């Protein structure tokens, strides 16, 4: 997979702890370890988001709980049937979201009506297919749009960022060992953690207006970028 606009950044910090004026190569049982360096290093890769999630929803209000529930089920079933026509695993997957029904109370704490809502979630890597399908659904309206990384994209990018962080960790450990007059180091412990952050969602007012204008109009969408960061931290024994 080709990654567009890839920006790599690496940051590393190190702190030498438990180092006295006299260095000892080994620590005996029960003694505080000497010449131990705590290190952290990170690798980051910025990549185009390739996963789109659209949530379509609707709500109903009435005095009869059964009627409200039936209205929601009819709206959801119609939307799901339309979505299934375009389903293609990985490219467009459709699933039901939240379905809620709760009472509405009056001033005397008695039930005066019922309110309910239901959702349909469209998700996948084929943005055009998802947007077109959403535009054809007339019984639900746009609730939320979000972007992210597919599993394959995330795995690939994490691998790159992890390799960068590990190499930086090793290089920093070697530099510190040499700086303090040691020939080498050994790894005592290490932890690896990954995270990603995405850009702010695009405004959705335009998408909602487009849907109101024509039920068959594709909802306009535009993905941003995510930065996947892997942090490697741990301790090394200077030797």
């Amino acid at each position: 997979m080709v990654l567009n606009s890839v920006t790599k950044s690496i940051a590393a910090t190190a702190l030498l702890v438990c180092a006295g004026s006299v260095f000892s190569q080994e620590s005996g049982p029960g003694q505080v370890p000497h010449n131990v360096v705590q290190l952290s290093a990170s690798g980051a890769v910025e990549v185009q988001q390739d996963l789109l999630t659209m949530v379509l929803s609707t709500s109903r209000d009435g005095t009869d709980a059964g009627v409200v529930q039936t209205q929601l089920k009819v709206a959801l079933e119609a939307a799901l049937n339309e979505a299934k026509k375009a389903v293609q695993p990985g490219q467009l997957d459709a699933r039901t979201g939240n379905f809620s029904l709760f009472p509405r109370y009056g001033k005397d704490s008695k039930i005066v009506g019922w309110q309910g809502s239901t959702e349909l979630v469209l998700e996948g890597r084929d943005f055009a297919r998802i947007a077109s399908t959403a535009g054809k659904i007339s019984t639900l309206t746009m609730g939320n749009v979000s972007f992210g990384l597919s599993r394959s994209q995330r795995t690939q990018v994490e691998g790159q960022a992890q390799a960068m962080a590990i190499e930086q960790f090793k290089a920093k450990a070697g530099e510190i060992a040499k700086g303090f007059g040691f020939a080498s180091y050994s790894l005592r412990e290490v932890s690896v953690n990954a995270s990603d952050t995405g850009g702010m969602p695009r405004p959705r007012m335009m998408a909602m207006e487009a849907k109101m204008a024509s039920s068959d109009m594709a909802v306009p969408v535009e993905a941003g970028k995510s930065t996947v960061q892997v942090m490697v931290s741990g301790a090394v024994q200077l030797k």
Side-chain angles (χ1 to χ4, degrees):
M1 181 177 295
V2 178
L3 307 181
N4 295 323
S5 303
V6 178
T7 302
K8 301 180 178 179
S9 60
I10 303 177
T13 59
L15 173 66
L16 180 65
V17 298
C18 301
S21 57
V22 179
F23 292 98
S24 62
Q25 298 298 328
E26 301 293 340
S27 299
Q31 294 181 350
V32 177
H34 292 279
N35 311 330
V36 175
V37 178
Q38 301 287 342
L39 296 172
S40 65
S42 66
V45 177
E46 185 180 73
V47 64
Q48 189 75 27
Q49 295 166 329
D50 69 335
L51 184 69
L52 169 62
T53 302
M54 281 191 177
V55 180
L56 308 178
S57 64
T58 190
S59 60
R60 295 290 189 274
D61 188 296
T63 57
D64 189 300
V67 172
V68 173
Q69 179 173 296
T70 298
Q71 292 175 341
L72 292 173
K73 289 176 61 178
V74 170
L76 179 60
E77 288 176 356
L80 188 57
N81 289 335
E82 182 63 42
K84 285 181 177 179
K85 299 176 183 178
V87 165
Q88 185 176 341
Q91 302 303 310
L92 192 165
D93 294 300
R95 67 177 185 274
T96 56
N98 294 327
F99 191 108
S100 63
L101 182 65
F102 52 92
R104 180 162 46 83
Y105 295 93
K107 295 182 180 180
D108 55 0
S109 298
K110 292 184 179 181
I111 296 176
V112 295
W114 294 84
Q115 292 179 319
S117 63
T118 187
E119 293 179 342
L120 176 67
V121 182
L122 305 179
E123 186 174 76
R125 298 191 300 271
D126 190 334
F127 291 8
R129 179 184 292 265
I130 295 172
S132 175
T133 301
K136 295 176 182 178
I137 295 175
S138 60
T139 58
L140 304 180
T141 57
M142 183 65 63
N144 183 57
V145 177
S146 60
F147 299 91
L149 300 179
S150 64
R151 181 175 300 180
S152 59
Q153 180 86 310
R154 185 186 304 277
T155 298
Q156 179 180 353
V157 175
E158 280 187 6
Q160 292 183 355
Q162 178 175 292
M164 294 163 57
I166 290 175
E167 287 304 312
Q168 181 68 8
F169 184 94
K170 291 162 60 178
K172 181 61 65 174
E175 291 172 1
I176 291 176
K178 182 178 179 180
F180 280 99
F182 291 87
S184 63
Y185 67 90
S186 61
L187 187 64
R188 290 177 58 88
E189 60 183 36
V190 67
S191 64
V192 180
N193 298 286
S195 63
D196 70 86
T197 58
M200 294 296 291
R202 299 294 193 276
R204 301 305 166 204
M205 185 61 70
M206 179 175 63
M208 296 179 68
E209 290 176 349
K211 186 170 181 61
M212 293 173 62
S214 173
S215 61
D216 290 333
M217 184 180 293
V219 179
V221 294
E222 181 183 356
K225 296 180 180 179
S226 287
T227 298
V228 176
Q229 184 175 48
V230 174
M231 175 70 70
V232 175
S233 58
V236 298
Q237 178 80 52
L238 304 184
K239 300 192 299 182

